[in-house]
Amino acid sequence: MSRSFPNGFLWGASTAAHQIEGNNLNNDWWQLEHAAADHGVQFSGDAVDSYHRYQEDMRLLADAGCNAYRFSIEWSRIEPSPGKFSRAELAHYRRMIDTALGLGLTPVVTLHHFTHPIWFGERGAWLGDGAVDAFCRYVEQACTILDGVAWVCTINEPNIVAVNHGQQRRLAEGKEYQFVGALPDAEIGQALIAAHRAAAPLVRAATGAKVGWTVANQALLPAPGCESKHAEVQHIWEDMYLEPARGDDFVGVQSYTSQLVDDNGVVPHPDHPDNTIMGWAYRPDALGIAVRHTRDVVGDVPIVVTENGIATSDDSRRVAYTQGALTALHETISEGADVRGYLHWSLLDNFEWGRWEPTFGLIAVDRETFERRPKPSLRWLGQIAQANALTF
């Protein structure tokens, strides 16, 4: 049985600069890795050296049969000091764009993927005076290298940024860094919404690209009788960030698992042998839940699945999970959802924001030699991309 996807569908994978480049020593996450080492936060170091090996990474993706690559550019490299821009770094990211285009990969460029320059943090980060203006100044410079880029994400997962920065506040107060259970900080969230609303028109005017942002979709479901609490929590977690996307050219859906909401809030993932390395429930159907809810909130705004994947050391399980997720995605398209692409998380096994153990990649990497080892899942996804259809 074959189930086709729309013509021009984007098929590929995603990465984030700090997780793969290595030695981003001028951003807040590098700073956090040192400050929070006693709280179990690991060190990114060389990461997987994709700063120097991006051509090989992109070629492996293209050779497998995929047609799109989502990657981020690193603000702290481009603007290492306030108002001082690195032409060399801008040229580096331009070479990445040209490499993607030359390989037949549609570049999907993210301008902010969790990290910002240390100087921005020292000024109060997103709650500091002039934060939106500072971000827009950087965005204007980034636009000078985006010729030929058709898809631009301003900010990745602002709801998770609001969680992360809330946790940095906790560290500053001498409290433990929480990997589980934290909620987005609404004040930081509002600042991020303002930044997106200011930056998106600048990108659109300067480049003609389709512009949006991506949201971490929780695929939350109400426990019986808990519909009111579910709506409250869903607004805090997602809808506050989906609603500003109603005027955008697209919105990115990023989905991994699903959880219940009861009268006490989000129910932690129960221990189960099927849980992923992240401790998350194995829920390939979450992608369908996430896309349907996003469509309900944003209306007819096109959707791109900008992240979806599983942390597992068993690549056959990765294939099974992705097969389930794509089946659920195809069902939403059959129901009328305007979905334009699927970008798997992640192209590479990488630094998973404080931990090295979770392996999400379609490609394994030897962290000593940096040798790339494509997994069978990469070839499998490429075959689907070539057919532009589910053939299983």
Side-chain angles (χ1 to χ4, degrees), residues 333-380:
I333 295 171
S334 300
E335 295 164 5
D338 183 2
V339 183
R340 305 291 180 90
Y342 175 86
L343 305 175
H344 190 86
W345 185 267
S346 172
L347 178 61
L348 304 161
D349 286 342
N350 57 33
F351 178 72
E352 193 53 45
W353 302 113
R355 290 186 285 173
W356 279 102
E357 291 80 11
T359 45
F360 281 92
L362 299 168
I363 300 171
V365 182
D366 185 312
R367 287 176 52 208
E368 296 296 323
T369 66
F370 303 114
E371 178 189 1
R372 272 58 174 155
R373 299 167 183 162
K375 303 175 187 179
S377 55
L378 176 60
R379 182 174 63 254
W380 178 85

Side-chain angles (χ1 to χ4, degrees), residues 222-244:
C226 300
E227 287 76 14
S228 178
K229 185 65 174 181
H230 170 258
E232 174 192 334
V233 172
Q234 189 151 257
H235 184 269
I236 294 169
W237 256 113
E238 283 182 46
D239 295 359
M240 176 176 167
Y241 304 91
L242 289 172
E243 289 164 2

Side-chain angles (χ1 to χ4, degrees), residues 10 178 284 315 365:
L10 300 175
Q178 290 179 308
D315 198 54
V365 182

Side-chain angles (χ1 to χ4, degrees), residues 107-375:
V108 180
V109 176
T110 302
L111 302 180
H112 181 281
H113 198 129
F114 288 172
T115 58
H116 60 237
I118 289 173
W119 61 260
F120 183 76
E122 290 174 342
R123 294 182 172 191
W126 293 105
L127 297 182
D129 291 339
V132 171
D133 290 341
F135 181 63
C136 287
R137 182 180 64 203
Y138 153 65
V139 168
E140 288 174 338
Q141 288 294 315
C143 285
T144 65
I145 63 163
L146 296 181
D147 183 53
V149 175
W151 301 84
V152 176
C153 306
T154 57
I155 299 172
N156 177 77
E157 295 187 339
N159 47 345
I160 301 299
V161 176
V163 172
N164 291 340
H165 284 255
Q167 293 311 295
Q168 291 185 38
R169 283 179 168 181
R170 288 179 61 85
L171 285 175
E173 295 167 0
K175 300 175 182 177
E176 267 194 40
Y177 190 96
Q178 290 179 308
F179 282 107
V180 179
L183 291 173
D185 182 305
E187 186 180 6
I188 294 171
Q190 289 295 344
L192 291 162
I193 290 168
H196 171 67
R197 284 177 166 160
L202 298 177
V203 180
R204 199 172 289 113
T207 69
K210 298 177 179 65
V211 185
W213 70 353
T214 73
V215 176
N217 300 88
Q218 308 303 302
L220 299 171
L221 296 171
C226 300
E227 287 76 14
S228 178
K229 185 65 174 181
H230 170 258
E232 174 192 334
V233 172
Q234 189 151 257
H235 184 269
I236 294 169
W237 256 113
E238 283 182 46
D239 295 359
M240 176 176 167
Y241 304 91
L242 289 172
E243 289 164 2
R246 286 173 178 157
D248 288 340
D249 303 305
F250 75 96
V251 61
V253 166
Q254 310 203 159
S255 170
Y256 295 90
T257 188
S258 176
Q259 286 174 272
L260 287 175
V261 175
D262 64 15
D263 286 334
N264 297 312
V266 179
V267 178
H269 294 285
D271 290 335
H272 192 280
D274 283 344
N275 284 1
T276 72
I277 294 175
M278 295 292 289
W280 299 342
Y282 180 86
R283 294 292 302 270
D285 64 318
L287 183 57
I289 298 168
V291 168
R292 289 184 182 94
H293 178 68
T294 296
R295 185 189 182 203
D296 287 346
V297 176
V298 303
D300 60 0
V301 175
I303 291 168
V304 177
V305 177
T306 40
E307 291 183 23
N308 172 253
I310 178 174
T312 180
S313 58
D314 180 352
D315 198 54
S316 63
R317 196 168 191 236
R318 177 172 292 103
V319 170
Y321 174 93
T322 309
Q323 177 175 313
L326 290 175
T327 299
L329 180 64
H330 190 271
E331 288 171 358
T332 70
I333 295 171
S334 300
E335 295 164 5
D338 183 2
V339 183
R340 305 291 180 90
Y342 175 86
L343 305 175
H344 190 86
W345 185 267
S346 172
L347 178 61
L348 304 161
D349 286 342
N350 57 33
F351 178 72
E352 193 53 45
W353 302 113
R355 290 186 285 173
W356 279 102
E357 291 80 11
T359 45
F360 281 92
L362 299 168
I363 300 171
V365 182
D366 185 312
R367 287 176 52 208
E368 296 296 323
T369 66
F370 303 114
E371 178 189 1
R372 272 58 174 155
R373 299 167 183 162
K375 303 175 187 179

